Amino acid sequence: MNCRTAREWIHLLLDDELSLGDRRRLDEHCQTCADCRSRRSQFTMIRGAMRASQVPVAGEPLVFTSPRRRWWPIPVAAVAAIGLLIGGYLLLGVSGSRHERMIVGNAPALKPAVEIVTAQNGPQELQVADAGSAAPAVEVEINPESNLIAVPMTTDNPKVTIIWTYPKIELAALGEEPRPERQRF
Amino acid sequence: MPIPEGCAMQEHWPAGRPRADATFEAWVTAIRPRLVGLARRFLWNTHDAEEVAQEALGRAWDKGAAWLETPARNAWCYRTVINLCLSRRRKRKETELPAEELAGGISETEAVETAELSGRVRLVLAELPDKQRAAVILRDIEELGYEDIAAILATSAAGARLLVHRGRETVREILLGRWPESFKS
């Protein structure tokens, strides 16, 4: 062990974060290095002096941080959305009495890339297409009172249409004139 | 809901604020001594420390019942107390109070005369940059974990650790430079 490591470990020692084995290694280093030995001793004395006038407070330790966020909600949401999709497909495909629309929300894992093909008459009428497929562009009606745009997408089952919803904030970037280039949003 | 009879908050409750309920009172009973103790580490004046703690608790109550149910309330209160203490100290500096009061309630001469390490440490702590000082007090005196300190100081755990380590190093360097005999046993 060199002195640089020992200096870092002295702080870990003060923080009570040093394993028993590492404490022994630090001890061995301090037995041969007077500088690190006095340094360790000084920090220990300072710590003792700081706590000398401390008045202990009774009661349970306070909780300062919220429980960590679990990592699984997003995948679970995606799986749930897929389950909803398949369930709806089977349900409608079997019963099949009428054409149904199934609305799927903003499940990130399922959200396809969508490109604006044309924007005519301002942002109120758009044609969009799934950038990842050869499906033809579809017309989209924009509800000015909603924060979402709904994009219908056909599926292999003619009785099922998926409606993807997207935040409308990107529409603010559109001008009144049709844009010559395809713009991703 | 009125404050229960005999409740410690009644006599201290700021005028014009809505009255506290029993749940709030239980929390106050647990956290108030800690807030006062923390404030004393900064102000070295019990009366001022109690005022600061009271102000922080009053502001916490103003944030509403739902917020008071979250663990964030504890970190928020500690942070508010620290900020109020630092604000008071800045105002004191502006009005040019005696140097010994700015330096933790004891004069430099007194510290030398008493030759007591804890007095010197207190003096040196008062010279640390605000955040370093807060971090060292929270870690080495209040004995909080780095995650908790990070929540209180609105930084990362690694940032809190760095503040503590730097603060300790600075305290040691100042002590060695000013009173090298401090560590002679």
Side-chain angles (χ1 to χ4, degrees), chain A residues 11-12 15 17 39 42-43 45-47 49-51 53-54 57-60 62-65 68, chain B residues 34 41 71 74-75 78 117-118 121 136 139-141 143 146-148 152 161 165 168-169 172 183:
Chain A
H11 285 291
L12 297 181
D15 291 331
E17 292 178 353
R39 194 182 184 85
Q42 288 159 1
F43 276 120
M45 288 172 74
I46 292 171
R47 162 71 72 80
M50 281 184 189
R51 292 183 177 173
S53 58
Q54 188 181 19
V57 177
E60 293 292 315
L62 295 176
V63 178
F64 289 92
T65 50
R68 290 184 180 279
Chain B
R34 298 165 200 260
R41 299 288 176 194
N74 294 333
Y78 266 60
L117 185 60
S118 60
V121 169
V136 170
R139 177 65 193 152
D140 285 344
I141 301 178
E143 301 181 48
Y146 285 114
E147 291 282 348
D148 294 339
I152 292 166
R161 186 183 291 272
H165 290 192
R168 285 175 183 161
E169 295 284 349
R172 175 180 165 273
F183 300 110

Side-chain angles (χ1 to χ4, degrees), chain B residues 35-68:
Chain B
L35 295 180
V36 172
L38 179 66
R40 281 191 72 251
R41 299 288 176 194
F42 285 86
L43 301 171
W44 297 105
N45 178 310
T46 304
H47 177 72
D48 287 355
E50 285 182 348
E51 272 189 7
V52 162
Q54 204 62 30
E55 176 62 24
L57 289 169
R59 290 186 188 184
W61 176 249
D62 287 345
K63 290 177 83 69
W67 182 83
L68 285 168

